[in-house]
Short mmCIF file of all heavy atoms in Angstrom, two decimals:
data_model
loop_
_atom_site.label_atom_id
_atom_site.label_comp_id
_atom_site.label_asym_id
_atom_site.label_seq_id
_atom_site.Cartn_x
_atom_site.Cartn_y
_atom_site.Cartn_z
N MET S 811 -6.50 30.55 -18.59
CA MET S 811 -7.19 29.60 -17.74
C MET S 811 -7.40 28.26 -18.44
O MET S 811 -7.27 27.22 -17.81
CB MET S 811 -8.54 30.22 -17.32
CG MET S 811 -9.27 29.41 -16.30
SD MET S 811 -8.37 29.45 -14.75
CE MET S 811 -9.47 28.57 -13.73
N ASN S 812 -7.70 28.30 -19.75
CA ASN S 812 -7.88 27.04 -20.47
C ASN S 812 -6.60 26.23 -20.51
O ASN S 812 -6.64 25.01 -20.48
CB ASN S 812 -8.38 27.30 -21.89
CG ASN S 812 -9.86 27.58 -21.92
OD1 ASN S 812 -10.55 27.23 -20.97
ND2 ASN S 812 -10.34 28.20 -22.98
N ARG S 813 -5.48 26.92 -20.60
CA ARG S 813 -4.21 26.21 -20.64
C ARG S 813 -3.96 25.47 -19.33
O ARG S 813 -3.47 24.34 -19.31
CB ARG S 813 -3.10 27.21 -20.92
CG ARG S 813 -1.81 26.57 -21.23
CD ARG S 813 -0.80 27.58 -21.68
NE ARG S 813 0.38 26.85 -22.11
CZ ARG S 813 1.24 27.28 -22.94
NH1 ARG S 813 1.09 28.46 -23.49
NH2 ARG S 813 2.27 26.56 -23.26
N PHE S 814 -4.31 26.10 -18.20
CA PHE S 814 -4.17 25.47 -16.89
C PHE S 814 -5.10 24.25 -16.77
O PHE S 814 -4.70 23.20 -16.28
CB PHE S 814 -4.46 26.49 -15.78
CG PHE S 814 -4.32 25.93 -14.40
CD1 PHE S 814 -3.08 25.58 -13.89
CD2 PHE S 814 -5.44 25.73 -13.60
CE1 PHE S 814 -2.95 25.06 -12.63
CE2 PHE S 814 -5.32 25.21 -12.33
CZ PHE S 814 -4.06 24.87 -11.84
N LYS S 815 -6.34 24.39 -17.24
CA LYS S 815 -7.28 23.27 -17.21
C LYS S 815 -6.78 22.11 -18.06
O LYS S 815 -6.90 20.95 -17.68
CB LYS S 815 -8.65 23.72 -17.71
CG LYS S 815 -9.46 24.48 -16.71
CD LYS S 815 -10.90 24.56 -17.24
CE LYS S 815 -11.46 25.91 -17.04
NZ LYS S 815 -12.82 26.04 -17.58
N ASP S 816 -6.23 22.43 -19.23
CA ASP S 816 -5.69 21.38 -20.10
C ASP S 816 -4.53 20.66 -19.42
O ASP S 816 -4.41 19.44 -19.51
CB ASP S 816 -5.23 21.98 -21.43
CG ASP S 816 -6.39 22.41 -22.30
OD1 ASP S 816 -7.53 21.93 -22.06
OD2 ASP S 816 -6.16 23.25 -23.20
N PHE S 817 -3.68 21.40 -18.73
CA PHE S 817 -2.56 20.80 -18.02
C PHE S 817 -3.07 19.85 -16.94
O PHE S 817 -2.59 18.72 -16.82
CB PHE S 817 -1.67 21.88 -17.40
CG PHE S 817 -0.56 21.33 -16.56
CD1 PHE S 817 0.58 20.80 -17.16
CD2 PHE S 817 -0.65 21.32 -15.17
CE1 PHE S 817 1.60 20.28 -16.39
CE2 PHE S 817 0.36 20.80 -14.40
CZ PHE S 817 1.50 20.28 -15.01
N LEU S 818 -4.04 20.30 -16.15
CA LEU S 818 -4.60 19.44 -15.10
C LEU S 818 -5.27 18.21 -15.69
O LEU S 818 -5.13 17.11 -15.16
CB LEU S 818 -5.60 20.22 -14.25
CG LEU S 818 -5.03 21.20 -13.24
CD1 LEU S 818 -6.16 21.90 -12.51
CD2 LEU S 818 -4.12 20.50 -12.27
N TYR S 819 -5.98 18.39 -16.78
CA TYR S 819 -6.65 17.26 -17.42
C TYR S 819 -5.63 16.24 -17.93
O TYR S 819 -5.82 15.04 -17.78
CB TYR S 819 -7.53 17.76 -18.57
CG TYR S 819 -8.30 16.67 -19.26
CD1 TYR S 819 -9.44 16.16 -18.68
CD2 TYR S 819 -7.88 16.16 -20.48
CE1 TYR S 819 -10.17 15.15 -19.30
CE2 TYR S 819 -8.58 15.15 -21.11
CZ TYR S 819 -9.73 14.65 -20.51
OH TYR S 819 -10.42 13.65 -21.12
N ASP S 820 -4.56 16.71 -18.51
CA ASP S 820 -3.54 15.82 -19.07
C ASP S 820 -2.75 15.10 -17.98
O ASP S 820 -2.36 13.94 -18.16
CB ASP S 820 -2.58 16.60 -19.96
CG ASP S 820 -3.24 17.10 -21.23
OD1 ASP S 820 -4.29 16.54 -21.61
OD2 ASP S 820 -2.70 18.05 -21.84
N LYS S 821 -2.51 15.75 -16.86
CA LYS S 821 -1.64 15.19 -15.82
C LYS S 821 -2.40 14.62 -14.63
O LYS S 821 -1.79 14.21 -13.66
CB LYS S 821 -0.66 16.27 -15.33
CG LYS S 821 0.16 16.90 -16.42
CD LYS S 821 1.03 15.89 -17.12
CE LYS S 821 1.84 16.60 -18.19
NZ LYS S 821 2.52 15.71 -19.07
N ASN S 822 -3.71 14.60 -14.68
CA ASN S 822 -4.52 14.18 -13.54
C ASN S 822 -4.22 12.75 -13.10
O ASN S 822 -4.10 12.48 -11.91
CB ASN S 822 -6.01 14.34 -13.88
CG ASN S 822 -6.88 14.14 -12.68
OD1 ASN S 822 -6.49 14.47 -11.56
ND2 ASN S 822 -8.06 13.60 -12.89
N ASP S 823 -4.11 11.82 -14.02
CA ASP S 823 -3.85 10.42 -13.68
C ASP S 823 -2.51 10.27 -12.97
O ASP S 823 -2.39 9.51 -11.99
CB ASP S 823 -3.87 9.54 -14.92
CG ASP S 823 -5.26 9.47 -15.55
OD1 ASP S 823 -6.24 9.70 -14.82
OD2 ASP S 823 -5.33 9.20 -16.76
N ILE S 824 -1.51 10.98 -13.45
CA ILE S 824 -0.19 10.91 -12.84
C ILE S 824 -0.22 11.49 -11.44
O ILE S 824 0.36 10.93 -10.50
CB ILE S 824 0.85 11.63 -13.71
CG1 ILE S 824 1.01 10.89 -15.05
CG2 ILE S 824 2.19 11.74 -13.00
CD1 ILE S 824 1.82 11.62 -16.07
N MET S 825 -0.92 12.59 -11.25
CA MET S 825 -1.01 13.21 -9.93
C MET S 825 -1.74 12.30 -8.94
O MET S 825 -1.32 12.16 -7.79
CB MET S 825 -1.70 14.57 -10.02
CG MET S 825 -0.85 15.63 -10.69
SD MET S 825 -1.50 17.29 -10.60
CE MET S 825 -3.00 17.16 -11.55
N VAL S 826 -2.81 11.66 -9.38
CA VAL S 826 -3.55 10.74 -8.50
C VAL S 826 -2.66 9.56 -8.11
O VAL S 826 -2.62 9.15 -6.94
CB VAL S 826 -4.85 10.27 -9.17
CG1 VAL S 826 -5.49 9.14 -8.38
CG2 VAL S 826 -5.82 11.43 -9.31
N ALA S 827 -1.93 9.01 -9.06
CA ALA S 827 -1.02 7.90 -8.76
C ALA S 827 0.06 8.33 -7.77
O ALA S 827 0.40 7.57 -6.85
CB ALA S 827 -0.39 7.38 -10.05
N LEU S 828 0.60 9.52 -7.94
CA LEU S 828 1.62 10.00 -7.02
C LEU S 828 1.06 10.21 -5.61
O LEU S 828 1.72 9.88 -4.62
CB LEU S 828 2.24 11.30 -7.53
CG LEU S 828 3.18 11.15 -8.71
CD1 LEU S 828 3.63 12.53 -9.20
CD2 LEU S 828 4.38 10.31 -8.33
N VAL S 829 -0.15 10.71 -5.51
CA VAL S 829 -0.78 10.89 -4.20
C VAL S 829 -0.98 9.54 -3.52
O VAL S 829 -0.69 9.38 -2.32
CB VAL S 829 -2.12 11.65 -4.33
CG1 VAL S 829 -2.91 11.60 -3.04
CG2 VAL S 829 -1.86 13.08 -4.74
N ILE S 830 -1.43 8.54 -4.26
CA ILE S 830 -1.62 7.21 -3.70
C ILE S 830 -0.28 6.64 -3.23
O ILE S 830 -0.20 6.06 -2.13
CB ILE S 830 -2.29 6.28 -4.73
CG1 ILE S 830 -3.73 6.72 -4.95
CG2 ILE S 830 -2.24 4.82 -4.29
CD1 ILE S 830 -4.43 6.02 -6.09
N LEU S 831 0.76 6.78 -4.02
CA LEU S 831 2.08 6.29 -3.62
C LEU S 831 2.61 7.00 -2.39
O LEU S 831 3.19 6.37 -1.49
CB LEU S 831 3.07 6.44 -4.78
CG LEU S 831 2.90 5.47 -5.93
CD1 LEU S 831 3.86 5.83 -7.06
CD2 LEU S 831 3.14 4.05 -5.47
N ILE S 832 2.40 8.29 -2.31
CA ILE S 832 2.87 9.06 -1.15
C ILE S 832 2.12 8.63 0.11
O ILE S 832 2.74 8.42 1.17
CB ILE S 832 2.74 10.57 -1.41
CG1 ILE S 832 3.77 10.99 -2.47
CG2 ILE S 832 2.92 11.37 -0.13
CD1 ILE S 832 3.57 12.40 -3.00
N VAL S 833 0.82 8.46 0.01
CA VAL S 833 0.03 8.02 1.17
C VAL S 833 0.47 6.63 1.62
O VAL S 833 0.64 6.37 2.82
CB VAL S 833 -1.48 8.06 0.85
CG1 VAL S 833 -2.29 7.36 1.92
CG2 VAL S 833 -1.94 9.48 0.69
N ALA S 834 0.68 5.72 0.67
CA ALA S 834 1.13 4.37 1.02
C ALA S 834 2.50 4.41 1.68
O ALA S 834 2.74 3.71 2.67
CB ALA S 834 1.16 3.50 -0.24
N ALA S 835 3.41 5.23 1.17
CA ALA S 835 4.74 5.33 1.75
C ALA S 835 4.69 5.89 3.17
O ALA S 835 5.40 5.41 4.06
CB ALA S 835 5.63 6.20 0.87
N VAL S 836 3.84 6.87 3.40
CA VAL S 836 3.71 7.45 4.75
C VAL S 836 3.14 6.42 5.72
O VAL S 836 3.65 6.28 6.85
CB VAL S 836 2.83 8.73 4.70
CG1 VAL S 836 2.43 9.18 6.09
CG2 VAL S 836 3.57 9.84 3.97
N VAL S 837 2.13 5.68 5.31
CA VAL S 837 1.55 4.65 6.18
C VAL S 837 2.59 3.59 6.52
O VAL S 837 2.75 3.20 7.68
CB VAL S 837 0.30 4.03 5.53
CG1 VAL S 837 -0.15 2.79 6.28
CG2 VAL S 837 -0.81 5.05 5.46
N ILE S 838 3.31 3.12 5.52
CA ILE S 838 4.35 2.11 5.75
C ILE S 838 5.45 2.67 6.64
O ILE S 838 5.92 1.99 7.56
CB ILE S 838 4.91 1.60 4.41
CG1 ILE S 838 3.85 0.77 3.69
CG2 ILE S 838 6.18 0.78 4.63
CD1 ILE S 838 4.20 0.42 2.27
N PHE S 839 5.86 3.90 6.42
CA PHE S 839 6.92 4.51 7.21
C PHE S 839 6.54 4.57 8.70
O PHE S 839 7.35 4.23 9.56
CB PHE S 839 7.24 5.91 6.68
CG PHE S 839 8.30 6.62 7.46
CD1 PHE S 839 9.63 6.29 7.30
CD2 PHE S 839 7.95 7.61 8.37
CE1 PHE S 839 10.61 6.94 8.03
CE2 PHE S 839 8.92 8.27 9.10
CZ PHE S 839 10.26 7.93 8.93
N PHE S 840 5.32 4.99 8.99
CA PHE S 840 4.92 5.12 10.38
C PHE S 840 4.52 3.79 11.03
O PHE S 840 4.47 3.69 12.25
CB PHE S 840 3.78 6.13 10.52
CG PHE S 840 4.26 7.55 10.40
CD1 PHE S 840 3.94 8.30 9.28
CD2 PHE S 840 5.04 8.12 11.37
CE1 PHE S 840 4.39 9.60 9.15
CE2 PHE S 840 5.50 9.42 11.27
CZ PHE S 840 5.17 10.17 10.15
N ARG S 841 4.24 2.77 10.23
CA ARG S 841 3.84 1.46 10.77
C ARG S 841 4.91 0.40 10.60
O ARG S 841 4.65 -0.78 10.82
CB ARG S 841 2.56 1.00 10.08
CG ARG S 841 1.36 1.89 10.30
CD ARG S 841 0.85 1.84 11.71
NE ARG S 841 0.41 0.48 11.99
CZ ARG S 841 0.20 0.00 13.19
NH1 ARG S 841 0.35 0.74 14.23
NH2 ARG S 841 -0.19 -1.24 13.36
N ILE S 842 6.13 0.77 10.25
CA ILE S 842 7.17 -0.22 9.96
C ILE S 842 7.49 -1.10 11.16
O ILE S 842 7.74 -2.30 11.00
CB ILE S 842 8.46 0.46 9.38
CG1 ILE S 842 9.40 -0.57 8.78
CG2 ILE S 842 9.16 1.26 10.44
CD1 ILE S 842 8.94 -1.13 7.50
N ASN S 843 7.46 -0.54 12.36
CA ASN S 843 7.74 -1.36 13.54
C ASN S 843 6.67 -2.43 13.74
O ASN S 843 6.99 -3.58 14.05
CB ASN S 843 7.84 -0.48 14.79
CG ASN S 843 9.11 0.34 14.79
OD1 ASN S 843 10.11 -0.06 14.21
ND2 ASN S 843 9.05 1.50 15.43
N ALA S 844 5.41 -2.08 13.57
CA ALA S 844 4.34 -3.07 13.70
C ALA S 844 4.44 -4.12 12.60
O ALA S 844 4.19 -5.30 12.83
CB ALA S 844 2.99 -2.38 13.66
N ILE S 845 4.80 -3.70 11.41
CA ILE S 845 4.94 -4.64 10.30
C ILE S 845 6.08 -5.62 10.57
O ILE S 845 5.95 -6.82 10.35
CB ILE S 845 5.17 -3.87 8.97
CG1 ILE S 845 3.91 -3.08 8.61
CG2 ILE S 845 5.56 -4.82 7.85
CD1 ILE S 845 4.13 -2.09 7.47
N MET S 846 7.20 -5.12 11.08
CA MET S 846 8.35 -5.98 11.33
C MET S 846 8.14 -6.89 12.54
O MET S 846 8.72 -7.97 12.62
CB MET S 846 9.61 -5.13 11.54
CG MET S 846 9.99 -4.32 10.32
SD MET S 846 10.25 -5.32 8.84
CE MET S 846 11.84 -5.98 9.19
N ASP S 847 7.30 -6.49 13.49
CA ASP S 847 7.02 -7.31 14.68
C ASP S 847 5.95 -8.36 14.44
O ASP S 847 5.73 -9.22 15.29
CB ASP S 847 6.59 -6.42 15.85
CG ASP S 847 7.75 -5.63 16.42
OD1 ASP S 847 8.90 -6.04 16.21
OD2 ASP S 847 7.48 -4.60 17.08
N TYR S 848 5.28 -8.32 13.32
CA TYR S 848 4.16 -9.22 13.06
C TYR S 848 4.54 -10.70 13.14
O TYR S 848 3.82 -11.47 13.77
CB TYR S 848 3.51 -8.90 11.72
CG TYR S 848 2.29 -9.73 11.44
CD1 TYR S 848 1.11 -9.50 12.12
CD2 TYR S 848 2.32 -10.75 10.50
CE1 TYR S 848 -0.02 -10.26 11.89
CE2 TYR S 848 1.20 -11.52 10.26
CZ TYR S 848 0.04 -11.27 10.95
OH TYR S 848 -1.07 -12.03 10.71
N PRO S 849 5.66 -11.15 12.54
CA PRO S 849 5.98 -12.59 12.66
C PRO S 849 6.18 -13.03 14.11
O PRO S 849 5.73 -14.12 14.49
CB PRO S 849 7.27 -12.73 11.85
CG PRO S 849 7.23 -11.61 10.88
CD PRO S 849 6.57 -10.49 11.61
N SER S 850 6.82 -12.22 14.93
CA SER S 850 7.01 -12.62 16.32
C SER S 850 5.69 -12.61 17.07
O SER S 850 5.47 -13.41 17.98
CB SER S 850 8.03 -11.72 17.01
OG SER S 850 7.58 -10.39 17.05
N THR S 851 4.79 -11.73 16.71
CA THR S 851 3.46 -11.70 17.32
C THR S 851 2.71 -12.99 16.99
O THR S 851 2.06 -13.57 17.86
CB THR S 851 2.66 -10.49 16.81
OG1 THR S 851 3.38 -9.31 17.08
CG2 THR S 851 1.30 -10.42 17.46
N GLN S 852 2.83 -13.45 15.77
CA GLN S 852 2.17 -14.68 15.37
C GLN S 852 2.73 -15.87 16.14
O GLN S 852 1.96 -16.73 16.57
CB GLN S 852 2.33 -14.92 13.87
CG GLN S 852 1.44 -14.07 13.02
CD GLN S 852 -0.01 -14.43 13.18
OE1 GLN S 852 -0.66 -14.00 14.12
NE2 GLN S 852 -0.52 -15.22 12.28
N THR S 853 4.03 -15.96 16.30
CA THR S 853 4.61 -17.10 17.01
C THR S 853 4.29 -17.03 18.49
O THR S 853 4.13 -18.06 19.14
CB THR S 853 6.12 -17.18 16.79
OG1 THR S 853 6.73 -15.95 17.17
CG2 THR S 853 6.45 -17.48 15.34
N ASP S 854 4.22 -15.83 19.06
CA ASP S 854 3.87 -15.68 20.47
C ASP S 854 2.44 -16.13 20.74
O ASP S 854 2.13 -16.66 21.81
CB ASP S 854 4.03 -14.23 20.94
CG ASP S 854 5.48 -13.79 20.99
OD1 ASP S 854 6.37 -14.67 20.96
OD2 ASP S 854 5.72 -12.57 21.04
N GLN S 855 1.56 -15.94 19.78
CA GLN S 855 0.17 -16.33 19.95
C GLN S 855 -0.08 -17.79 19.56
O GLN S 855 -1.20 -18.25 19.60
CB GLN S 855 -0.73 -15.43 19.10
CG GLN S 855 -0.76 -13.99 19.59
CD GLN S 855 -1.60 -13.11 18.69
OE1 GLN S 855 -2.06 -13.53 17.64
NE2 GLN S 855 -1.77 -11.87 19.09
N GLY S 856 0.97 -18.49 19.17
CA GLY S 856 0.82 -19.89 18.83
C GLY S 856 0.36 -20.13 17.41
O GLY S 856 0.04 -21.25 17.05
N GLY S 857 0.33 -19.10 16.61
CA GLY S 857 -0.07 -19.25 15.21
C GLY S 857 1.05 -19.88 14.41
O GLY S 857 2.21 -19.87 14.79
N SER S 858 0.69 -20.43 13.32
CA SER S 858 1.68 -21.07 12.46
C SER S 858 1.72 -20.34 11.13
O SER S 858 0.69 -20.04 10.55
CB SER S 858 1.32 -22.53 12.23
OG SER S 858 2.21 -23.10 11.30
N ALA S 859 2.93 -20.03 10.68
CA ALA S 859 3.08 -19.36 9.39
C ALA S 859 2.91 -20.35 8.24
O ALA S 859 2.58 -19.97 7.13
CB ALA S 859 4.43 -18.68 9.30
N ILE S 860 3.12 -21.63 8.54
CA ILE S 860 3.01 -22.65 7.50
C ILE S 860 1.80 -23.50 7.82
O ILE S 860 1.64 -23.99 8.93
CB ILE S 860 4.28 -23.52 7.44
CG1 ILE S 860 5.49 -22.66 7.14
CG2 ILE S 860 4.11 -24.63 6.43
CD1 ILE S 860 6.79 -23.38 7.24
N THR S 861 0.95 -23.69 6.86
CA THR S 861 -0.23 -24.54 7.05
C THR S 861 -0.12 -25.76 6.18
O THR S 861 0.47 -25.72 5.10
CB THR S 861 -1.52 -23.77 6.72
OG1 THR S 861 -1.45 -23.35 5.36
CG2 THR S 861 -1.69 -22.56 7.62
N GLU S 862 -0.66 -26.84 6.67
CA GLU S 862 -0.65 -28.06 5.90
C GLU S 862 -1.99 -28.23 5.20
O GLU S 862 -3.03 -27.93 5.77
CB GLU S 862 -0.43 -29.27 6.82
CG GLU S 862 0.98 -29.41 7.33
CD GLU S 862 1.17 -30.70 8.09
OE1 GLU S 862 0.50 -31.70 7.76
OE2 GLU S 862 1.98 -30.68 9.01
N THR S 863 -1.92 -28.74 4.01
CA THR S 863 -3.12 -29.02 3.25
C THR S 863 -3.21 -30.53 3.07
O THR S 863 -2.27 -31.16 2.61
CB THR S 863 -3.09 -28.34 1.87
OG1 THR S 863 -2.90 -26.95 2.07
CG2 THR S 863 -4.38 -28.59 1.12
N VAL S 864 -4.31 -31.10 3.48
CA VAL S 864 -4.49 -32.53 3.37
C VAL S 864 -5.46 -32.78 2.22
O VAL S 864 -6.57 -32.26 2.20
CB VAL S 864 -5.07 -33.13 4.68
CG1 VAL S 864 -5.31 -34.61 4.54
CG2 VAL S 864 -4.13 -32.83 5.83
N PHE S 865 -5.02 -33.58 1.29
CA PHE S 865 -5.85 -33.93 0.16
C PHE S 865 -6.43 -35.32 0.38
O PHE S 865 -5.70 -36.26 0.69
CB PHE S 865 -5.04 -33.93 -1.15
CG PHE S 865 -4.54 -32.57 -1.53
CD1 PHE S 865 -3.22 -32.19 -1.30
CD2 PHE S 865 -5.40 -31.64 -2.10
CE1 PHE S 865 -2.77 -30.96 -1.65
CE2 PHE S 865 -4.95 -30.39 -2.45
CZ PHE S 865 -3.63 -30.04 -2.22
N ARG S 866 -7.73 -35.43 0.27
CA ARG S 866 -8.36 -36.74 0.41
C ARG S 866 -8.82 -37.20 -0.96
O ARG S 866 -9.38 -36.44 -1.74
CB ARG S 866 -9.56 -36.63 1.34
CG ARG S 866 -9.17 -36.27 2.74
CD ARG S 866 -10.36 -36.24 3.65
NE ARG S 866 -9.91 -35.76 4.96
CZ ARG S 866 -10.68 -35.67 5.99
NH1 ARG S 866 -11.95 -36.02 5.89
NH2 ARG S 866 -10.22 -35.24 7.13
N SER S 867 -8.60 -38.47 -1.20
CA SER S 867 -9.04 -38.99 -2.49
C SER S 867 -10.22 -39.88 -2.37
O SER S 867 -10.66 -40.27 -1.37
CB SER S 867 -7.90 -39.74 -3.18
OG SER S 867 -7.37 -40.73 -2.32
#
């Protein structure tokens, strides 16, 4: 049992990172259409992707 606990303790950070990556990949995979449609949604609503910055002296 101690050997199993040591393994979990040593590999815990890697497992957490892998879980985070898997969750992010699943979210992106299922939302890819919404992500790809976002620029056209912005232009349809009259939004501008480029903003101007005016500097006053």
